Amino acid sequence: MTQADAIRHKAALTGWLGSDQWIRYLAADGLPEYGPSAWPDQWPSASLKERMALFTTDELIPLEAWQDADTIYADAAMCDMVTAAAQTFPQQRVRREEFLAPIGFLFFAKPVPSAAFEVLLPDQPPVTAITWACVDDGVNAFTWIRTPAGAYDVNGVTVQVTALFPQLAYFVPWDKPAHAGTHSVSLLRTLSALSRQPLTREDSPKIHQSVRANARNAKVRPESFRRIALRRPEAATHELAAARAIAEGRTPAGHWVRGHWRNQYYASVDEHRPLWIEGFPRGDFSQQAPAGERLLVARGDRAGTGQ
């Protein structure tokens, strides 16, 4: 996905979230968290029209909030780094101020695994985008997958969708821990934390006039577009390879001392925040790994070894 594609998707998706097709999708029980879990008594016997009425009377996020939301674009190398680093993100409480923005759209230059290396969800398609909103009681995030735009059957209800289809929803209350590497909030937290580290850079690239017109027609602010990239993109490939090797229990040729998170204490704010300690290469990557060679894995402030 290019940067121009991201803005076009943002414009199309914003319009869809402000249409009755979004409510129709929710009423069709496309996301169980927004149906039977929210209204267990009314839901089983309610008609589609009655279910849609439940959502229209509920306090859904207004269209204007989505139009003003930040648009974040993670470049290709950043996608690899997020996938690798999400596996070991510290198990700490979710805070409102840790996210890139109170509400936003995150687009990946290339799809990332929805559950990273988690084996519990092997059939889930990769994620193209994440939308999130910080609400009163927690953070709510959706993953979106790439599909052809058109009409889809959702539990017997026909729903018109854009080229992005809502796949999974995940909600985490404030001050509650969230598991690492297995859901959209984990990926979003990882990118948010990495964006504050010295290894990344952020800019607002110039947008082509034709794309700006597309954004204006959807009442989307093109100036809200932010690109996040790695200063040393080559490191992402090594981090991802090391993470996969560890997950699969194998040792790659040479070895990359994998980067890791440190739960760093900041006295000025009296709290711990994740600090990424960058990985580095060691050994000859041009040679096959000899039998018995070990892969060094950094854990916390100490380096351990794994076969």
Side-chain angles (χ1 to χ4, degrees), residues 50-62:
E50 290 171 330
R51 291 180 179 183
M52 291 180 68
L54 289 173
F55 288 100
T56 55
T57 57
D58 189 47
E59 295 182 358
L60 294 177
I61 297 173

Side-chain angles (χ1 to χ4, degrees), residues 25-59:
Y25 175 81
L26 295 175
D29 197 13
L31 296 171
E33 295 85 352
Y34 281 75
S37 298
W39 300 284
D41 296 331
Q42 306 100 313
W43 196 263
S45 59
S47 65
L48 177 64
K49 183 176 180 180
E50 290 171 330
R51 291 180 179 183
M52 291 180 68
L54 289 173
F55 288 100
T56 55
T57 57
D58 189 47
E59 295 182 358

